[in-house]
Amino acid sequence: MVRFEDVWLKYRNPARPGAPAKDILRAISFEIPDGGFRWLTGPSGAGKTSLLKLIYLAEHPTQGLIDILGTRAANITRREAALLRRRIGVVYQDFRLLPQLSAYDNVALPMRLAHRGETQINADVTEILRWVGLEDRLHARPDELSGGAQQRIAIARAVVARPKLLVADEPTGNLDDEQAQRLMLLITALNRLGTTVVVATHNMALVERYPAPKLRIEDGKLVQNG
Amino acid sequence: MAKRDDLGLRAALADRLLPVLVAAMSFLAALGLAGTLASASLAHSWQSQASDTLTIQVPQPNNPDASGKTTRLAAVQAALAQTPGVTNPQVMSQADENALLTPWLGEDATQLGLQMPGVISASWAGPGSPDALGEALDKISAGTMVDAGAVWAARVAALTSSLQDCAAAVLVIVALVAAAVVAVAARAGLAQRRDTITIVHGLGALDGDIATRFANRAVVLVAAGSVAGTLLALPVLDWLAALAAPFSGQMTGSALSNVPMPLWFILPLLPIAAAGIGWATAQLTVRSWLRSLP
Ligand SMILES: Nc1ncnc2c1ncn2[C@@H]1O[C@H](COP(=O)(O)OP(=O)(O)OP(=O)(O)O)[C@@H](O)[C@H]1O
Ligand SMILES: [Mg+2]
């Protein structure tokens, strides 16, 4: 379950510390039940990435309450936060792959962090890379791959450890139509297995094709929920 | 966390400067340690030699003594010969005395017209300290002074203990500088790997795991540097020990054989201590840096 209650996020301009903080998110309240699926839409700069950052614990709210997977985010230790992050798969808008690691090792990273055995890692990583169509690029490093292939590695890394919550920020931005469809197949399969999913996107055609409740934000305000 | 180098730390901390600086620190620390030991052992041998030495000064040695039968010097000599515990009294010759005074008074002190006191050296083998001796001799020839080596030995002890304090201060400073060097290197490594660490942190890496990876890397570099620095110090220590040998009364010829035995036990502790400092410093530095991440 993901729950926001009157959440505000303000960014201070580090260059002008005296200036008033800018409201990025204002009075956001919503709830996603366990196993739910939500599209997150809104114009560029509306605050989609900022809202997702709050969900995947990369940012603290200025005000308000956030529950992630049944845990009150404000009340946990750094260690508990780290363990909670392991249960959240994230596809970043800018991928965030480790440039010095191969595709295989990038995808294996979350499992290694969770101290899984190499046999299981090998099976799961190989399978998920086959799913995203990169089984023949296991040893390529990110800079040797196209933007679309990098995005697919980022997706594979987000789902390989079977997260309870999947957060994807514009995951189809660099994919062609067929790849985007394949990705949605993967995400809906995970969702059916019980993973709660939030996908931020500009791709309205995709939203039309996979009807699901929408969270729409404009200028930091939630203007549609459902 | 995985054993492989996911964080690219091998590159991040490959900073060749770190082992080199640590080697220099260890070199200094080895000298400091050796200094502590050497001053202790020199103090020991000097004190045992000095504390049983008596120096007796008799002013106007050639004047008649209280009884008027003999000279003041001869009277004191006779008294010393009778005193139990005093052995081997020797009157210092005028030439020896001049040689001693030359640095202060010039070529021929007698030319200054100064009345030189007679100086007798002797050994004290009696029980306790020869305090009563001064009073007894003063009665025979007024103004006679007894200088027990113990006083001088106490001064040597004070000097060596302050030398040891200096050496200890050197060790503390070296340890602090080494910690600072490791902290700077760790911060440089963190800055260089900021993106990678942010990503790994976002994937749920524990602060402790990340810090331990850095700390283990720091231990390898610091230990290597420290072993090198300590080994480099050995020939220097041997040379210094050879210089000190005449004072401490031990001397041999073969290579490194002058290095005192206790050092062979203490020096290996240096890289271990350095590694400990490196590990702890890297842990603290990385953990505090990670607090800047959410
Ligand atoms: N670290 C930051 N410091 C200050 N302002 C920020 C920061 N990150 C984002 N912003 C501002 O917050 C607002 C929302 O940004 P955000 O990235 O959440 O938008 P978005 O909806 O994801 O946009 P896009 O669709 O282009 O990805 C923007 O005005 C942006 O300039
Ligand atoms: Mg965004």
Side-chain angles (χ1 to χ4, degrees):
Chain A
M1 190 191 64
V2 175
R3 206 166 75 90
F4 275 48
E5 194 183 309
D6 191 28
V7 170
W8 293 68
L9 180 66
K10 298 170 200 263
Y11 280 129
R12 283 203 174 280
N13 185 345
R16 295 169 56 204
K22 188 181 161 203
D23 287 328
I24 303 299
L25 295 174
R26 299 187 251 182
I28 305 270
S29 298
F30 64 87
E31 189 173 321
I32 310 173
D34 276 337
F37 185 110
R38 294 290 183 279
W39 291 112
L40 177 60
T41 63
S44 188
K48 299 184 294 296
T49 299
S50 303
L51 190 146
L52 294 184
K53 278 184 171 174
L54 289 171
I55 297 180
Y56 60 73
L57 308 175
E59 201 75 68
H60 300 294
T62 314
Q63 186 190 315
L65 298 177
I66 298 180
D67 292 333
I68 304 293
L69 296 174
T71 305
R72 178 67 42 97
N75 295 348
I76 55 179
T77 64
R78 289 183 67 79
R79 185 188 171 80
E80 287 164 344
L83 297 178
L84 188 52
R85 281 188 194 103
R86 293 183 188 176
R87 299 167 62 203
I88 307 171
V90 185
V91 183
Y92 298 96
Q93 195 165 8
D94 52 356
F95 316 149
R96 303 208 185 170
L97 302 174
L98 298 195
Q100 72 274 22
L101 298 188
S102 68
Y104 180 97
D105 286 330
N106 263 292
V107 174
L109 203 50
M111 301 188 76
R112 293 202 170 116
L113 286 174
H115 303 286
R116 304 274 176 79
E118 284 295 324
T119 329
Q120 196 201 339
I121 290 176
N122 189 35
D124 290 1
V125 171
T126 317
E127 190 201 329
I128 197 68
L129 280 172
R130 191 179 310 125
W131 237 105
V132 296
L134 286 170
E135 67 271 32
D136 53 346
R137 304 305 309 271
L138 297 184
H139 304 294
R141 288 192 327 186
D143 57 9
E144 299 162 350
L145 296 167
S146 69
Q150 290 182 34
Q151 186 147 44
R152 283 180 283 154
I153 295 171
I155 291 159
R157 184 182 65 186
V159 301
V160 72
R162 297 186 192 129
K164 283 272 124 223
L165 171 62
L166 177 67
V167 178
D169 198 352
E170 210 61 70
T172 60
N174 289 270
L175 303 185
D176 63 31
D177 227 34
E178 193 198 317
Q179 286 169 342
Q181 299 250 24
R182 238 179 118 69
L183 167 67
M184 285 315 298
L185 224 57
L186 175 66
I187 289 180
T188 47
L190 267 175
N191 182 231
R192 236 175 283 124
L193 289 171
T195 299
T196 310
V197 178
V198 186
V199 181
T201 188
H202 284 125
N203 188 338
M204 292 323 275
L206 201 68
V207 174
E208 300 296 317
R209 206 168 321 141
Y210 294 88
K214 292 184 211 47
L215 297 168
R216 181 169 175 82
I217 45 176
E218 284 173 17
D219 195 20
K221 279 213 191 85
L222 190 63
V223 295
Q224 182 187 351
N225 181 5
Chain B
M1 186 165 258
K3 281 138 236 86
R4 64 195 65 216
D5 192 28
D6 289 340
L7 304 189
L9 292 187
R10 225 156 277 155
L13 278 183
D15 206 341
R16 300 203 175 43
L17 209 53
L18 179 58
V20 170
L21 289 176
V22 170
M25 296 295 137
S26 298
F27 184 86
L28 292 177
L31 294 190
L33 271 176
T36 317
L37 270 183
S39 57
S41 91
L42 282 184
H44 181 75
S45 75
W46 283 349
Q47 282 175 26
S48 59
Q49 281 167 26
S51 59
D52 53 10
T53 306
L54 293 176
T55 306
I56 297 118
Q57 289 184 47
V58 187
Q60 284 121 23
N62 300 322
N63 290 4
D65 74 337
S67 68
K69 287 182 203 136
T70 177
T71 63
R72 287 158 55 86
L73 184 63
V76 169
Q77 261 186 291
L80 283 174
Q82 316 262 300
T83 311
V86 176
T87 56
N88 197 25
Q90 306 246 324
V91 179
M92 198 178 275
S93 72
Q94 195 65 48
D96 283 348
E97 220 175 299
N98 283 347
L100 264 183
L101 294 174
T102 300
W104 285 277
L105 301 182
E107 266 310 309
D108 192 352
T110 51
Q111 284 178 353
L112 297 172
L114 287 174
Q115 261 275 354
M116 291 294 139
V119 178
I120 304 168
S121 70
S123 294
W124 175 251
S129 65
D131 291 339
L133 190 61
E135 285 167 40
L137 295 182
D138 189 57
K139 285 198 189 103
I140 296 164
S141 294
T144 299
M145 288 186 302
V146 175
D147 194 7
V151 175
W152 194 70
R155 283 186 206 137
V156 170
L159 172 68
T160 51
S161 86
S162 53
L163 280 178
Q164 281 171 314
D165 291 347
C166 287
V170 166
L171 285 178
V172 169
I173 291 168
V174 161
L176 290 176
V177 172
V181 166
V182 172
V184 168
R187 285 200 156 264
L190 287 164
Q192 203 182 339
R193 293 280 145 198
R194 177 171 197 107
D195 291 346
T196 295
I197 292 165
T198 306
I199 293 169
V200 175
H201 171 82
L203 290 172
L206 300 174
D207 290 2
D209 283 348
I210 296 174
T212 298
R213 293 277 296 279
F214 268 87
N216 291 346
R217 180 79 189 137
V219 161
V220 170
L221 295 177
V222 166
S226 184
V227 166
T230 308
L231 287 177
L232 282 176
L234 277 178
V236 179
L237 292 179
D238 184 60
W239 175 66
L240 290 176
L243 287 184
F247 300 100
S248 58
Q250 312 148 2
M251 176 96 169
T252 48
S254 56
L256 296 185
S257 59
N258 294 307
V259 177
M261 185 55 79
L263 267 187
W264 290 113
F265 293 101
I266 292 173
L267 287 182
L269 299 179
L270 216 50
I272 295 173
I277 290 172
W279 190 86
T281 308
Q283 282 276 355
L284 288 175
T285 310
V286 175
R287 280 170 190 265
S288 82
W289 186 90
L290 285 172
R291 299 209 148 258
S292 70
L293 299 180

